[in-house]
Amino acid sequence: LPAKGGSREQTSAGGYSMVLFWYKGAIKAIEARSPAEGAYSEGFMEAKLTQNDSIICPSTLSEFDLNTGEVRTWYPTNRVLSSITPQCRPMDVFQAQAAAGAIYVKLPLGAAEAAAARPSTAGGAGTSAEGDNIYGIEPKMYIDNPNDVIQDSSGAAAGADIDGGKLVGGVVLVALLGVVGTGYPLVTYEPPTSYAIVAAVWLGLFSGVA
């Protein structure tokens, strides 16, 4: 990993995914994904660094201490989310040292067990490693009446097949009946008989369509 140029390298050790980079002449090793983000995380590979030893979460703009992992600022640009969202856990920070052309990372005791204990998520509120992220996936939609679900031959739910020709034909037929049913009584009969016939025609059409 070059000491200059701002290069970053993502790797894994002991079940932890981490990002390695040089900062102020020292090698840093932090977790690859911001703990403030949910399952859909941009990660820290392109995250901005500050002059006071912090890294900024790409999504929430929260700042984490590069040395201790503590949360320095929480949703600094959104007071509402800052007040209603529980603060996430500290960022994982690992001791790292460069020697003889290699980088050595010291993992905490029980690192593999701790990493395995963190749930693997596919999104949704409360599914991040710390269990308090606010990111959510689109909720499932349900039909009130299960009998309305249309199934194909395999038993899987399928969309209803609508015949375009029949639909157009039905619209044209209703329109034609409406025109004839309105015009003929108005020309043939005198009010109020003609009005009553027109009302009856349209009532019948609406009832048929419904």
Side-chain angles (χ1 to χ4, degrees), residues 108-189:
L109 295 176
E113 292 78 6
R118 289 184 176 175
S120 176
T121 70
T127 58
S128 64
E130 70 279 2
D132 59 12
N133 63 298
I134 64 166
Y135 290 81
I137 57 177
E138 183 178 352
K140 293 181 178 180
M141 299 179 66
Y142 298 91
I143 299 176
D144 290 338
N145 185 0
N147 295 327
D148 291 340
V149 178
I150 301 175
Q151 296 184 337
D152 58 21
S153 58
S154 64
D161 293 328
I162 299 177
D163 190 322
K166 291 182 178 179
L167 178 61
V168 173
V171 172
V172 172
L173 179 60
V174 171
L176 181 60
L177 290 176
V179 171
V180 174
T182 301
Y184 182 79
L186 292 177
V187 173
T188 307
Y189 300 95

Side-chain angles (χ1 to χ4, degrees), residues 34-171:
S34 168
E37 294 182 309
Y40 308 108
S41 171
E42 296 181 35
F44 283 131
M45 284 295 291
E46 303 293 334
K48 294 181 180 179
L49 298 168
T50 68
Q51 293 297 322
N52 61 338
D53 297 357
S54 293
I55 191 167
I56 300 176
C57 170
S59 297
T60 68
L61 301 183
S62 303
E63 289 188 21
F64 296 89
D65 191 299
L66 289 173
N67 301 309
T68 66
E70 68 175 336
V71 181
R72 285 185 167 178
T73 61
W74 181 242
Y75 281 98
T77 60
N78 193 320
R79 292 183 179 181
V80 175
L81 291 180
S82 177
S83 61
I84 68 175
T85 307
Q87 186 169 295
C88 69
R89 61 172 173 80
M91 176 182 68
D92 289 333
V93 176
F94 309 95
Q95 294 183 26
Q97 181 179 358
I103 297 176
Y104 299 89
V105 178
K106 182 179 180 180
L107 298 176
L109 295 176
E113 292 78 6
R118 289 184 176 175
S120 176
T121 70
T127 58
S128 64
E130 70 279 2
D132 59 12
N133 63 298
I134 64 166
Y135 290 81
I137 57 177
E138 183 178 352
K140 293 181 178 180
M141 299 179 66
Y142 298 91
I143 299 176
D144 290 338
N145 185 0
N147 295 327
D148 291 340
V149 178
I150 301 175
Q151 296 184 337
D152 58 21
S153 58
S154 64
D161 293 328
I162 299 177
D163 190 322
K166 291 182 178 179
L167 178 61
V168 173
V171 172

Side-chain angles (χ1 to χ4, degrees), residues 187-202:
V187 173
T188 307
Y189 300 95
E190 295 292 333
T193 304
S194 59
Y195 298 154
I197 296 175
V198 170
V201 169
W202 280 104

